[in-house]
Each structure stands twice: as C-alpha cells, then as structure tokens.
Amino acid sequence: MTKRLFFILLLVASGIQAQTRLGYQTPPEPIRQLADASMPPWVWTTQSGEHMILLYRDTYKSIEELSQPELRLAGLRINPKTNIGSRTTFYKNLKVKSPDAREPRQVSGLPGTPRLSNFRLSPDETQLALTHTGPEGVELWVVELASAKARRLSAGPLNANMGNPIQWFKDSGSLLVKMLPGDRQPLVDRAEKVPEGPTVSTNDGKKAQNRTYQDLIKNPDDAFNFEQLARSELHRVGLDGNSKLWKEAALYRGLNFSPDGSYLLAVTVEKPFSYLVPYTRFPSRTAIYTREGQEVTTLLEVPLIEDLPKGFMAVREGMREIGWRHDKPAALVYVEALDGGDPAREVPFRDAVYTLDAPFKGPGTLLVQVQNRFDAIYWSDGDWAVVTDYWFNTRNTKSYRFDPANPGKTPALLSDRNYQDRYSDPGEWAMTRNRFGEEVLARDRNGHAFLLGEGFSEDGQVPFVDRVNLQTLEKQRIYQSRIPGKMETLLEYEPLEDRLLTRIESPSEYPNYYEKSLVRRKGPMQLTFFENPYASLAQVHKEVITYPREDGLELSGTLYLPAGYDPASGEKLPMVLWAYPREYKDKNSASQNTSNPNEFTYPSWGSPIYWVTRGYAVLDGAAFPIIGEGDEEPNDSFRTQLVANARAAIDAVDAMGHIDRNRVAVGGHSYGAFMVANLLSHSDLFAAGIARSGAYNRTLTPFGFQREERNYWEAPEVYYNMSPFMHADKMKTPLLLIHGEADNNSGTYPMQSERYFNALKGLGATVRLVMLPKESHGYRARESILHMLWEQDQWLEAHLKPETPQQDPLPGPVEDR
C-alpha cells in the first residue's frame, strides 16, 4: 500500500507538458440546428387563473457574458460591478396572456435590451415586480398585468448579490427592496495588494467533517470583500417610485413578511466568517420587526456551524426551520431536534414542531412530534394540517394529519413509505392561496383535500387526482389521465372553481398547457400553442425498453433509433449509452420503470439524443441502480453492480438486433462521468467513453461524496476501489474528458480531471482533456456547448466509425496542465 501510494503521488506531480491552441468549433449541421433551436417560453400561471406570464430567454449565454467580472466568495458567485449573481439566468422578453386568448400580449415599456430576473408577484396578483440588470447595476421594475405595461420604479442601485432583493408589502402597494449601502467601501484587489501576513486557520479539537465546498472565503481580504458585497440597506419603494430608508445596512440573508403583513422575519449573516463552509452556515441572527421597521425581538442567534454530528440527517440544536404559519395572521412555526441533532442517537421522535404567537417571546407551544427528520407542513384554512418527515438512511418518509387547534395530540398517520418507491407515491397536495395570499391546502366546500399523483406503476404511467376526506382519511379517485399516445402532467387543481391545469405532450408535440374541469366534465381548453422546435426528431423511433440484470433485477431505458432505420435490413448501428448511477436500499424501488415513451423528445445541451441524427442508436437514461439492502451499503459493491447494469443494457439492445456490440460508447456527466471512468477501467464492454465534469479520486473528497456517509478513514477500501484514479493503469479504452474550468460543484473541482488526465497520459492511455473556459458544473455559453458537441461527435466518429474518413481530424489536447 505504501509503494502504491508513493507511485500515485509521484504520478500526480509529474507529466509531460503539452498544449494545443484550438478555437471554438461547431458540430455537424444536424446537431448544430437542434442545439440552436429557439426554446418556447417558460410559463407562469397566477393562482387565480386570470393571467399567464410568458418569460422568454436565449437558449444559451455567450462566452462574453461568462467573461464578465466575477468574485467567488462564501459559496456565492458575484459580478462586483452590477451587484448580482454572475451566473444569473436573464430573460429577454415578457408577455401576458389570458386563458381565453389564443395569442399573448407583448408587455410594453420594457428596457431597450432587457435582462430580467428576480420576479415577484404581488399578493393581489395584479403586479409583477422584477429586476433589470443594466451595464451599471440592477434596477427595480414593475409590470401591471391587466394592461401589460412595464415601468421602472427605481434605478437603484439594488443589491442582488445574496438572493432576490425584492419583497412585496402585503398591501400590494409598495415593496421592500435591498439597496446598495451608501457607506460601501472599495473592494480589495488582492493581486495588487502587498500581503500583511499569512492566512491562519485553527481548530480546538472538535470534529468538523464537511463536504469539499468550493468558492469559499480564503483570506481576510476575501472576508472584507464578501462583507462589502453582501451588505444592503432596506428601502420601502412605492408604486409611485418614491423610496424611503426602512432599515439600516446589514447582511440580510432572508426577509419574510407575516401573512397579514404586520411583522417581518429577517435573518442576517453575522461574524465570524468561515474558511470551511459557505455563508449559509455562518453565524446568523433572526429578528422580528414591525411593518414600520421597529424591532420587536431578537428571536435567535446561531453560532458558526462547522461541526455538525456525522451523517446526512445531522442538524444543529435549537430552533430551526423558522417561518410563518400560513393559516394565522402572524404566528411563527419552528422545529427543534429531540435527538440533539445527532442521527446516531436512538429516540422515539426525532423532531418536534412548535408554534409561537406575538410578542414572540418565551417557549413555543408543541404542535406535533414526528418520528423522522421534519420535512414540511401543509397548512389549511380549515381544521386540519399535514406534516411530513423523512429519513435518508432508511429512505423512509411519513405524512401525518394533525389538528393545529388541538396541539400536542398524537397525529393520524396518512402514509408510511419508501420515498424511492415511485409506484406507491400518493402524490402532491393541491395548493391554493388563502385570504393572506399564502399557500394552503386547496379544499372543496365539503372540506376535502386533493392529491395530484404522477401515477407510475408496472403498467406504465396514469396520472391521477384523489379526493381525500381529512376527517376519515378515506380517498376517492376522481380523475385518471388516459390520452392515447400522449403524456399528461397535472399541475394545479382549484376545487372551488373546478379548474385543473395540465400540460400535455407527445414525443413530437411540444408540451402545451390546458385547462379542464373534473366535476362538470368540461374541456380540455388549450391555453398555449407552442410549436415543436425540434422537427428533425419527429420521425425518430422512440421506445422504453425493459430488460433483466444478471441477478434478475428489472431495468429500463429509453431507446432512440434513427429516422428511416429499418431493423429488418440487418444493419448494425453503433450505440451511445448514457446513464447516471443512483443508490437504493431495496430492489423493489430500484427496479421500477418511471420513463414514459410519450414524453416529448427534448435534446437539452447535455443530451446524447443529438447522435440519433448521425446514425447512432441511443439508449438514454439507462437504469444504473446501485443497491445495498439491510446493513450493506450500496457502495460496498459499486463496481460489480455498475458493470452488471452496463452489460444488461448492451445485451438487451443487441438481442433486439439493432447494434454492433463492439461499437458501443458510454457517456455521463458529474457522477455519470465517475461511472464512465469506472466502467472503462473494470470492463471491456465499450469502444469509447465520454466523461464530463466528474470526480475520479475519492481521497480528495474524504468526508463523503454523493450518497456515501462514511468518511475515508472509516471505509478506505471503498474509497480506493471506487476511485478510477487509483486504477488508471487498467484503462485500455479511449476516454474523452471534458470539464468546466470554473466548476463550483462540491467535489468535482477541475483538478479532478486534470490529475486524472495526467495519470492516464503517463500510463499510455488514449485520452483527451478539454477544459472549457469560464464554465461551471453545467455549461452555459453557446460557444462552449457547440464545441462540446463537436468534441463528442469527433470522438464518437473516430472510435465507433473507424471506417468513416474524418474531415477534421482531432488535434492534440486543448490543454494539459
């Protein structure tokens, strides 16, 4: 073990340096046309159903946009010039539509080159507040929905560096806005500053086992810059544009008005900051203010959170999950752990939920206790509420009905299930807005509540609506979706108006919105009329296939075959298999099929579907379950199950007569990339691999990764066996590595791909490393994505179609550092 570790360290430190300059490339035309297709808008429907808001954006950012100034501090990525998240998704246009109109109305009065974000609907649903980011900063705008007219309320400058800077006052007549403070100091440019001393971190003996977070504060100058960028003043801005200081500057993390608008719950970030965790775990102060800005009480002060107990279900002690009850004008609800926040401690109940009325002092009143860790509460304007819990280690979730008017009583159990068991999923509660504008259970005149379910089963997918009697807990199915050749998604149900909002699609029909009635049996009425932007995929063959693993486990995947391909011809196609491993604690959940063949065929930026236009069979979303039942953890047999999953998928499509099993490539992103590297190292099933933005050396993530709770020192063999880096000498298959240079995902920092490439190169493997400038864990720039598609296409053509002449031979590595 010592000699092996020495060899690995020597390999990491060495490596021949070589670089090739290569400009951004574009893929073949069939792929480029699909990638460049304009997306229909994102649709937002008001609770009343009176307005549909259509938000339009470009499919991608540009590399110029990603090259704007960026500071990475405390888990945030900030543009210090404009004072908004540097990776914010901006919308370029806005339209408003009424349900009975076929065409939407263009919103007038928008800025010349709109860059819209931070949308907030007013409590009365008549106004939409939003921000526009110009060259110099963030402005406050508002759209009157009835007239579809926009106007600027304030040039700001707003501070959108730490969340949405906008909150509506409950009268819908003014807004609470985070503005840049007048006393902000200039930022420190560390590159130009002479250091005043070293950066020092200490520990007093406590265990602080944290994930490998990125974009953290690294030194006192970072801490200073974070404070300056995160500080905001709170201003009250009227719909007439008048602005008045409401509260002095602080690091406001969360702002939330009580349902009646009489109080504000405010969470601020406090010092000391940390070099180990992001700002969400810095010290914080939770205080309550009146609507006029007068402090009522300091409710909670939380110290720095660096040393939680071990485990995914660990939480801090004391009040947490503090918020407002939706069924009361101004009453708080919060949670406290009954196990000290330590999952290893055995107790009959893990969490207790309390309520606290004004003036918000003293201990709260116990509402309900739950056996697992608290998840959510669904309030109601009636006599009941629903609380849910969950526990990762057993994948268990429970839901309970309780009566808030009779606190502390044993709740009635509504469901007790494995949350990975999709076949037993009872659905999501239909919600509506009450008189305070808060979300509560949607109930009919008889007090019934409603569940909207996806409806997966062994026989396929049949979405449903169940009516639930909260008094007797009896259920009655009042709707099942059975539209031949189409897939329906149930979005919202308003029982008092008998209005069901749905989305209907097919493999070649883009999803459109419809309105139905369940009691009157009226409809459906089509609300949107979006056309399919991917017409070239309309004739592609698509089917969901099921097949057994060698141990009998039932697996599935979605198979695409090129348009015009005739299986009877005897032609054997090359195939791209794309997958992502998922951990399970039971075989039943792992074997369930949740793919719908009638789902619209959507080639997102990272999809493998593009290659069906290039003559490949594509098996997308192939099931790769990793199961550990009982005391066994899934990762104890990770490699064995990984190879079994891959072999079963290839065997299944090969048995159908579609593919040449000697010309199969495997691809994946993130944990899927980790999967690819392991498969190529420990099997001979594939002719090539594509691994994007992965992690390959698990000793660099020593306090857990993905769903692994054990640290490296508790399970060193698991970390070693699962790390492709440790087995680089076994790589005999060509591997394409792609990674964003600015990856911010925990554990998948760019060094993972760089070091793995150096190891493979040093050992003589066929490997190519492509580092995409400015890109994070998911890629955003059009130039990057088109180049990524070109790289993947060149790689597949070179290694799966060796008989095809290459017009553009692959040059050397884009970057090898």
Side-chain angles (χ1 to χ4, degrees):
M1 186 70 178
T2 303
K3 290 183 178 179
R4 178 183 293 169
L5 183 58
F6 174 78
F7 174 73
I8 290 169
L9 294 174
L10 181 64
L11 194 62
V12 169
S14 65
I16 301 171
Q17 300 300 309
Q19 292 181 336
T20 298
R21 183 180 296 277
L22 179 68
Y24 287 109
Q25 303 293 306
T26 58
E29 196 60 15
I31 293 178
R32 189 204 62 76
Q33 288 182 358
L34 285 172
D36 271 343
S38 297
M39 290 174 39
W42 183 69
V43 179
W44 181 7
T45 303
T46 60
Q47 192 78 48
S48 65
E50 186 177 351
H51 301 290
M52 300 186 78
I53 302 166
L54 281 59
L55 302 173
Y56 298 79
R57 67 176 177 89
D58 291 325
T59 306
Y60 314 113
K61 288 180 176 289
S62 69
I63 196 66
E64 182 181 4
E65 286 181 273
L66 291 189
S67 301
Q68 295 299 306
E70 181 178 75
L71 291 179
R72 305 172 189 175
L73 302 168
L76 294 172
R77 292 192 167 187
I78 293 169
N79 183 324
K81 182 177 180 181
T82 56
N83 291 290
I84 193 169
S86 54
R87 306 276 164 161
T88 299
T89 296
F90 293 112
Y91 291 83
K92 65 179 182 180
N93 197 14
L94 184 62
K95 296 182 181 180
V96 178
K97 182 184 177 300
S98 61
D100 56 354
R102 182 179 177 90
E103 298 297 329
R105 291 177 295 159
Q106 173 63 50
V107 171
S108 63
L110 291 172
T113 306
R115 301 180 76 216
L116 312 176
S117 60
N118 294 309
F119 304 95
R120 288 281 194 195
L121 191 64
S122 64
D124 63 6
E125 297 191 336
T126 63
Q127 311 271 344
L128 179 68
L130 60 147
T131 62
H132 162 64
T133 302
E136 302 303 320
V138 182
E139 303 171 352
L140 176 63
W141 285 67
V142 69
V143 175
E144 184 183 72
L145 297 180
S147 63
K149 292 181 179 179
R151 56 194 175 91
R152 189 177 73 178
L153 286 186
S154 173
L158 275 66
N159 188 347
N161 287 331
M162 196 158 60
N164 194 321
I166 303 170
Q167 285 285 339
W168 281 95
F169 282 86
K170 287 292 184 172
D171 62 2
S172 297
S174 57
L175 301 106
L176 187 64
V177 182
K178 292 198 282 189
M179 298 279 195
L180 298 185
D183 61 350
R184 174 187 274 192
Q185 301 179 45
L187 301 182
V188 174
D189 186 345
R190 189 170 177 82
E192 299 179 359
K193 180 185 175 183
V194 177
E196 298 176 356
T199 299
V200 178
S201 300
T202 63
N203 187 52
D204 60 0
K206 292 182 179 179
K207 292 183 178 180
Q209 301 186 13
N210 294 292
R211 290 294 175 110
T212 47
Y213 297 111
Q214 298 193 60
D215 298 344
L216 299 179
I217 289 174
K218 298 180 176 65
N219 50 63
D221 292 334
D222 280 354
F224 175 84
N225 287 344
F226 168 73
E227 182 176 11
Q228 297 308 310
L229 290 165
R231 288 176 73 247
S232 302
E233 294 175 348
L234 297 183
H235 287 244
R236 183 168 187 159
V237 181
L239 293 180
D240 58 2
N242 288 328
S243 178
K244 181 180 179 181
L245 179 66
W246 193 85
K247 203 66 187 169
E248 64 276 1
L251 283 72
Y252 294 103
R253 195 181 92 189
L255 302 170
N256 189 12
F257 279 105
S258 62
D260 67 355
S262 58
Y263 298 100
L264 179 81
L265 181 70
V267 181
T268 54
V269 174
E270 305 293 330
K271 293 180 179 179
F273 302 152
S274 170
Y275 294 168
L276 191 62
V277 293
Y279 78 94
T280 52
R281 292 173 63 176
F282 288 2
S284 65
R285 174 177 177 265
T286 302
I288 304 228
Y289 301 91
T290 67
R291 65 164 65 92
E292 289 79 26
Q294 301 300 313
E295 182 170 338
V296 176
T297 186
T298 296
L299 191 68
L300 178 67
E301 291 181 303
V302 178
L304 178 64
I305 309 171
E306 286 186 341
D307 54 354
L308 288 174
K310 180 190 162 192
F312 291 140
M313 303 313 299
V315 295
R316 62 173 175 81
E317 293 188 84
M319 300 171 68
R320 68 178 208 279
E321 307 278 353
I322 304 171
W324 297 106
R325 287 181 57 167
H326 293 184
D327 62 335
K328 296 288 185 181
L332 288 172
V333 61
Y334 64 91
V335 180
E336 287 193 7
L338 300 175
D339 57 6
D342 187 352
R345 189 177 300 176
E346 294 294 333
V347 293
F349 298 98
R350 293 284 178 181
D351 276 345
V353 183
Y354 298 88
T355 187
L356 182 63
D357 294 326
F360 315 112
K361 296 180 180 180
T365 300
L366 175 67
L367 279 178
V368 65
Q369 293 178 320
V370 292
Q371 295 180 37
N372 297 320
R373 195 64 79 210
F374 170 83
D375 180 37
I377 286 185
Y378 301 87
W379 299 100
S380 170
D381 280 346
D383 47 359
W384 301 111
V386 174
V387 61
T388 59
D389 65 18
Y390 74 107
W391 196 252
F392 167 79
N393 305 78
T394 58
R395 309 304 197 267
N396 179 254
T397 182
K398 296 180 175 66
S399 65
Y400 316 80
R401 181 216 66 190
F402 72 100
D403 184 0
N406 293 285
K409 291 191 174 181
T410 303
L413 188 65
L414 286 173
S415 66
D416 182 355
R417 50 182 289 273
N418 182 327
Y419 60 71
Q420 290 185 311
D421 180 1
R422 299 288 295 279
Y423 289 0
S424 68
D425 191 343
E428 297 292 329
W429 294 101
M431 306 297 287
T432 189
R433 284 193 175 198
N434 62 9
R435 66 190 186 281
F436 302 122
E438 303 291 338
E439 282 205 337
V440 294
L441 293 173
R443 301 177 69 174
D444 64 14
R445 289 178 176 81
N446 295 317
H448 297 121
F450 297 83
L451 285 165
L452 279 57
E454 293 181 294
F456 287 110
S457 71
E458 293 181 356
D459 300 322
Q461 184 182 12
V462 181
F464 62 84
V465 179
D466 279 351
R467 182 167 56 209
V468 182
N469 186 321
L470 292 177
Q471 177 68 38
T472 65
L473 308 185
E474 294 177 348
K475 288 184 183 179
Q476 180 183 3
R477 187 142 299 177
I478 63 172
Y479 178 75
Q480 284 185 305
S481 173
R482 298 183 185 274
I483 309 175
K486 301 196 176 183
M487 171 179 166
E488 183 174 28
T489 303
L490 310 182
L491 302 173
E492 299 173 4
Y493 182 53
E494 285 286 347
L496 294 179
E497 299 177 20
D498 189 25
R499 186 178 69 249
L500 177 68
L501 181 67
T502 78
R503 191 172 59 234
I504 300 175
E505 61 197 272
S506 77
S508 60
E509 294 177 4
Y510 193 86
N512 274 291
Y513 290 77
Y514 292 78
E515 194 174 279
K516 296 181 175 181
S517 65
L518 303 186
V519 177
R520 292 171 289 146
R521 302 293 179 182
K522 181 182 177 182
M525 178 175 72
Q526 188 167 351
L527 303 178
T528 63
F529 300 85
F530 303 134
E531 298 292 334
N532 181 1
Y534 311 109
S536 62
L537 297 178
Q539 301 305 314
V540 165
H541 175 80
K542 177 182 181 180
E543 66 174 308
V544 175
I545 63 171
T546 58
Y547 48 91
R549 199 166 75 173
E550 59 189 13
D551 59 359
L553 188 72
E554 189 86 350
L555 304 179
S556 63
T558 303
L559 178 66
Y560 299 86
L561 300 174
Y565 169 69
D566 182 7
S569 68
E571 180 185 3
K572 301 289 187 178
L573 303 173
M575 184 173 80
V576 179
L577 186 159
W578 207 269
Y580 189 94
R582 300 188 186 279
E583 300 90 339
Y584 294 86
K585 289 298 290 179
D586 71 298
K587 291 182 179 179
N588 176 61
S589 300
S591 67
Q592 293 179 357
N593 178 10
T594 56
S595 299
N596 190 324
N598 298 318
E599 185 177 7
F600 178 72
T601 302
Y602 174 67
S604 63
W605 67 267
S607 170
I609 298 172
Y610 297 100
W611 280 273
V612 78
T613 68
R614 297 279 281 161
Y616 293 81
V618 175
L619 185 63
D620 192 19
F624 266 67
I626 309 296
I627 306 165
E629 295 188 301
D631 293 333
E632 181 184 0
E633 291 297 324
N635 286 339
D636 292 344
S637 56
F638 179 84
R639 279 169 29 187
T640 301
Q641 295 192 61
L642 209 62
V643 174
N645 293 329
R647 181 177 291 111
I650 295 172
D651 287 347
V653 186
D654 184 33
M656 299 171 74
H658 298 320
I659 63 168
D660 175 356
R661 66 179 301 133
N662 295 315
R663 294 190 294 151
V664 178
V666 61
H669 190 92
S670 191
Y671 206 55
F674 175 69
M675 169 202 75
V676 169
N678 269 295
L679 284 171
L680 299 191
S681 299
H682 303 293
S683 78
D684 57 0
L685 295 170
F686 299 99
I690 299 170
R692 296 194 315 238
S693 298
Y696 309 103
N697 184 348
R698 285 305 170 195
T699 66
L700 298 179
T701 56
F703 291 110
F705 57 90
Q706 200 70 2
R707 295 295 178 264
E708 178 58 65
E709 286 190 300
R710 297 168 294 185
N711 66 41
Y712 169 78
W713 296 271
E714 293 172 319
E717 291 305 314
V718 170
Y719 278 69
Y720 179 84
N721 290 331
M722 289 181 66
S723 295
F725 183 90
M726 305 301 181
H727 308 280
D729 58 325
K730 299 177 183 177
M731 178 63 71
K732 301 296 186 289
T733 307
L735 175 62
L736 173 63
L737 293 166
I738 302 176
H739 214 120
E741 285 187 349
D743 195 329
N744 68 333
N745 185 54
S746 175
T748 59
Y749 28 80
M751 182 179 67
Q752 288 274 6
S753 286
E754 293 168 342
R755 295 294 182 262
Y756 188 40
F757 172 78
N758 284 340
L760 293 173
K761 182 176 180 178
L763 292 166
T766 301
V767 61
R768 179 178 174 85
L769 172 64
V770 181
M771 302 298 292
L772 298 174
K774 309 295 182 180
E775 294 293 351
S776 187
H777 193 60
Y779 314 149
R780 303 289 297 276
R782 177 180 182 272
E783 294 89 343
S784 302
I785 290 167
L786 292 184
H787 185 88
M788 176 201 74
L789 295 173
W790 177 81
E791 290 280 359
Q792 293 181 174
D793 184 73
Q794 293 282 300
W795 197 255
L796 293 171
E797 291 288 296
H799 297 292
L800 269 64
K801 295 181 180 179
E803 73 284 356
T804 303
Q806 298 297 301
Q807 296 180 348
D808 299 303
L810 287 168
V814 175
E815 188 168 347
D816 170 15
R817 294 187 279 188

